[in-house]
């Protein structure tokens, strides 16, 4: 790959030919996007591609460069900036829909702000935390990735309803799972991570894929062939999840399926009882995960397959909490301004390690990481936004069929469980994208005048009905 790059960029003729070809291709695609039917598939293709790339993939170029978090890496090459022309290209292709979206932007954002103000205040903290960070240049580099990916998540959630979003999620997840299997065969490495950074991240994505395909299989009104396809994709997703041997993902998928099975009963209750049942289920699920964490060797290793990644987390969590309380309790250390081993003795996290000598690269707990970056102020804002989203999710559950209303419930449960032992909610990757889409979509679906939001394009039957 490097040899090809050198050959192209060192040859003016080849560079000119490549540039000319790209200009012609962009012009053709831009022209064809004016046709409604072609534009329809461009838009949905982009949505699936964006969700597919949102976990910040590893593996072979160009997949490992098509994410804005690459802009925060040190020792950048020209390939690290590939995300920028890629997004410009996508914006040109989607220009008709994006321009339509901006016509309604004021009414959209006024509604979103009124429905969940704490979320939108929290969403500004990656920017404002640069002003109290000891390393604002590092915070700014990571903020670039955040600000490039968040508006796209908002755009998708406004443009598409849960039926479309669920379809995009299902297909992007199964594509990622199958692509990971092709890229890296499970038996070739000890910890199978496929196209992602870790086996736990891949396991979490396949956990969501299993739950989404199961909901589509068990609840959607569809043809017999589509129902069998959904069942097959459920089994494939579960197989890929178990192949990675992530015990946490297995616990999560069991709890998610259990919750889905209980939602038919919960839908029949009053709002107060339904909310109480969901909240209780979440609390019990958190407690179950913590019990597994504390009894790792007996439960995870013997019962769920070898997965020792939980080891030592309960040792350094108190150390991190004590450091934040001592130094920066109210507003935290700033976005990506705590774990900085390259600063030596000035590293804010210096001295945090386990008895075995392991030095954590992050908190291994999303809620603790929010406290580290944004302090008690940020953690309270996030907690309130989560509760508001839970209230709106229960409201949506009461009025919509389970095929659609189960999706935000799955999102919230997965986010809760996943961030007990991971920091995915603070990273500008797939879980943050899910949470943004969840917040935006629920704000629209539970509003009394959601008909004033930008009208959707007429639905056409896509080539994949599942």
């Amino acid at each position: 790959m490097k040899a090809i790059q050198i050959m192209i960029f060192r040859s003016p003729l080849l560079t000119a030919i490549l540039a000319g070809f790209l200009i012609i291709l962009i012009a053709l695609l831009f022209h064809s996007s004016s046709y409604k039917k072609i534009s329809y598939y461009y838009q949905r293709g982009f949505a699936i591609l964006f969700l597919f790339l949102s976990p910040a993939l590893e593996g072979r170029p160009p997949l490992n460069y098509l994410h804005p978090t690459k802009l925060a890496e040190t020792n950048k090459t020209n390939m690290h900036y590939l995300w920028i022309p890629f997004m410009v290209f996508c914006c040109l292709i989607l220009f008709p829909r994006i321009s339509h979206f901006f016509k309604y932007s004021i009414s959209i954002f006024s509604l979103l702000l009124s429905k969940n103000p704490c979320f939108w205040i929290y969403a500004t903290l990656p920017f404002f935390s640069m002003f109290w960070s000891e390393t604002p240049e590092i915070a700014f580099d990571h903020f670039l990735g955040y600000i490039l990916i968040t508006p796209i998540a908002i755009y998708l959630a406004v443009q598409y309803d849960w039926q479309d979003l669920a379809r995009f999620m299902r297909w992007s997840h199964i594509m990622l799972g199958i692509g990971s299997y092709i890229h890296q065969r499970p038996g070739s490495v000890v910890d199978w991570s496929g196209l992602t950074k870790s086996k736990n991240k891949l396991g979490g994505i396949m956990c969501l894929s299993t739950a989404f395909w199961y909901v589509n299989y068990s609840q959607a009104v569809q043809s017999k062939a589509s129902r069998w396809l959904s069942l097959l994709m459920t089994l494939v997703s579960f197989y890929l999840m178990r192949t990675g041997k992530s015990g946490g993902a297995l616990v999560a998928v069991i709890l998610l399926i259990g919750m889905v099975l209980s939602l038919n009963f919960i839908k029949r209750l009053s709002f107060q009882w339904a909310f109480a049942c969901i909240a209780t289920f979440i609390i019990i699920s958190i407690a179950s995960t913590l019990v597994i964490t504390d009894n790792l060797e007996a439960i995870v290793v013997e019962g769920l397959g070898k997965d020792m990644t939980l080891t030592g987390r309960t040792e350094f969590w108190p150390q991190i909490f004590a450091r934040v309380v001592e130094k920066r309790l109210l507003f935290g250390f700033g976005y990506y301004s705590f774990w900085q081993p390259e600063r030596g003795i000035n590293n804010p996290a210096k001295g945090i390690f386990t008895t075995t000598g392991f030095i954590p690269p992050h908190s291994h707990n999303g809620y603790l990481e929010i406290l580290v970056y944004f302090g008690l102020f940020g953690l309270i804002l996030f907690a309130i936004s989560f509760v508001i989203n839970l209230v709106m999710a229960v409201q949506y559950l009461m009025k919509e069929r389970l095929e659609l209303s189960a999706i935000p419930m799955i999102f919230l449960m997965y986010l809760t469980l996943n961030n007990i032992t991971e920091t995915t909610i603070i990273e500008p990757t797939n879980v943050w994208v899910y949470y943004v889409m969840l917040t935006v979509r629920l704000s629209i679906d539970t509003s009394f005048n959601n008909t004033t939001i930008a009208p959707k394009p007429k639905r056409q039957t896509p080539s994949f009905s599942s």
Side-chain angles (χ1 to χ4, degrees):
M1 186 67 185
K2 289 183 178 179
I4 295 175
Q5 293 177 38
I6 293 171
M7 181 180 68
I8 290 175
F9 290 111
R10 283 187 178 179
S11 171
L13 179 60
L14 286 176
T15 303
I17 292 173
L18 179 62
F21 174 77
L22 289 176
I23 291 172
I24 294 171
L25 178 62
I26 291 172
L28 289 173
L29 290 174
F30 181 73
H31 175 72
S32 63
S33 65
S34 61
Y35 296 96
K36 289 185 177 180
K37 189 171 183 179
I38 296 176
S39 177
Y40 172 88
Y41 288 103
Y42 280 168
Q43 295 161 28
R44 279 149 180 77
F46 170 78
I48 294 174
L49 179 62
F50 173 75
L51 293 173
F52 173 80
L53 296 172
S54 66
L57 304 180
E58 297 294 322
R60 298 175 182 176
L63 291 180
N64 56 329
Y65 292 107
L66 294 179
H67 197 279
T69 54
K70 296 298 178 181
L71 299 175
E73 293 185 358
T74 56
N75 302 319
K76 290 189 283 288
T77 65
N78 290 335
M79 291 295 289
H80 283 77
Y81 297 95
L82 186 61
W83 171 261
I84 297 175
F86 172 72
M87 284 310 303
V88 171
F89 172 76
C90 291
C91 288
L92 286 173
I93 301 305
L94 299 175
F95 180 76
R97 288 308 308 165
I98 293 175
S99 59
H100 182 72
F101 169 78
F102 278 113
K103 290 181 182 178
Y104 298 87
S105 58
I106 295 177
S107 61
I108 290 170
F109 284 104
S110 61
L111 170 65
L112 300 180
L113 185 60
S114 66
K115 293 291 289 187
N116 198 338
C118 287
F119 171 81
W120 298 105
I121 298 172
Y122 171 82
T124 65
L125 292 182
F127 171 75
F128 286 110
S129 69
M130 289 189 290
F131 294 101
W132 62 78
S133 168
E134 292 182 357
T135 53
E137 66 285 353
I138 295 177
F140 177 74
D141 286 345
H142 287 277
F143 170 73
L144 284 177
Y146 169 85
I147 198 60
L148 285 171
I149 204 169
T150 302
I152 302 174
I154 296 172
Y155 167 80
L156 292 179
V158 170
Q159 290 296 309
Y160 300 107
D161 58 21
W162 282 116
Q163 184 172 347
D164 284 325
L165 292 175
R167 181 183 294 118
F168 301 155
M169 296 291 294
R170 287 194 301 270
W171 285 106
S172 63
H173 286 167
I174 200 67
M175 286 166 54
L176 181 55
I178 295 174
S180 293
Y181 190 89
I182 295 171
H183 167 71
Q184 182 186 71
R185 293 302 173 91
S188 62
V189 291
V190 176
D191 293 328
W192 183 56
S193 58
L195 291 170
T196 65
K197 292 182 178 180
S198 69
K199 68 173 183 179
N200 288 334
K201 171 157 276 192
L202 180 60
I205 293 170
M206 289 298 99
C207 164
L208 269 180
S209 181
T210 303
F212 287 151
W213 280 108
Y214 175 76
V215 168
N216 193 63
Y217 162 73
S218 61
Q219 302 297 330
V221 178
Q222 53 188 335
S223 66
K224 187 175 181 180
S226 296
R227 197 161 184 266
W228 278 108
L229 176 62
S230 296
L231 177 60
L232 175 62
M233 294 296 102
T234 302
L235 297 175
V236 170
S237 299
F238 184 79
Y239 167 76
L240 293 171
M241 182 200 71
R242 289 302 299 134
T243 301
K245 297 182 180 179
S246 174
L250 178 58
V251 173
V253 79
I254 292 172
L255 292 170
L256 289 177
I257 298 300
M259 182 189 67
V260 170
L261 293 173
S262 68
L263 289 180
N264 269 320
F265 167 75
I266 293 174
K267 277 178 67 70
R268 301 188 182 97
L269 304 176
S270 65
F271 171 80
Q272 291 81 358
W273 280 107
F275 182 83
C277 288
I278 294 294
T280 302
F281 192 91
I282 291 175
I283 293 171
I284 292 173
S285 299
I286 293 172
S288 301
T289 304
L290 290 173
V291 167
I292 291 174
T293 303
D294 290 336
N295 298 275
L296 176 70
E297 189 170 351
I299 297 178
V300 177
V301 177
E302 297 177 7
L304 303 179
K306 188 175 181 180
D307 179 5
M308 296 297 289
T309 55
L310 296 175
T311 300
R313 288 172 183 172
T314 51
E315 287 188 50
F316 56 74
W317 283 345
Q319 299 177 49
I320 298 169
F321 182 77
R323 185 68 55 86
V324 175
V325 171
E326 178 187 357
K327 301 288 186 181
R328 300 281 190 93
L329 177 60
L330 188 57
F331 293 110
F333 289 84
Y335 198 46
Y336 281 86
S337 300
F338 184 72
W339 305 98
Q340 299 175 332
E342 67 279 2
R343 295 181 63 194
I345 60 173
N346 295 319
N347 177 17
K350 183 175 176 58
I352 297 176
F353 54 85
T354 67
T355 54
T356 61
F358 172 70
I359 301 176
H362 51 74
S363 299
H364 284 279
N365 182 286
Y367 315 111
L368 187 55
E369 197 82 337
I370 292 175
L371 183 68
V372 167
Y373 289 166
F374 306 135
L376 195 60
F377 178 67
L379 186 60
I380 290 173
L381 284 175
F382 177 81
I384 295 174
S385 79
F386 182 90
V387 173
I388 292 173
N389 278 331
L390 184 60
V391 170
M392 291 192 294
V394 175
Q395 291 174 341
Y396 187 61
L397 175 69
M398 307 301 289
K399 73 174 188 177
E400 188 55 81
R401 65 186 190 274
L402 196 57
E403 173 196 356
L404 305 180
S405 61
I407 303 302
M409 286 297 180
I410 291 173
F411 271 139
L412 288 171
M413 175 64 78
Y414 172 77
L415 183 147
T416 303
L417 300 179
N418 181 257
N419 280 276
I420 293 174
T421 54
E422 301 293 331
T423 58
T424 51
I425 189 57
I426 202 73
E427 302 166 0
T429 53
N430 57 314
V431 175
W432 172 248
V433 167
Y434 304 157
Y435 193 60
V436 173
M437 293 196 304
L438 168 85
T439 303
V440 172
R441 195 63 246 170
L442 285 177
S443 298
I444 294 172
D445 289 334
T446 57
S447 65
F448 289 102
N449 65 333
N450 57 4
T451 56
T452 64
I453 297 300
K456 306 287 190 298
K458 292 182 179 180
R459 185 182 299 276
Q460 302 177 38
T461 304
S463 58
F464 42 89
S465 59
S466 293

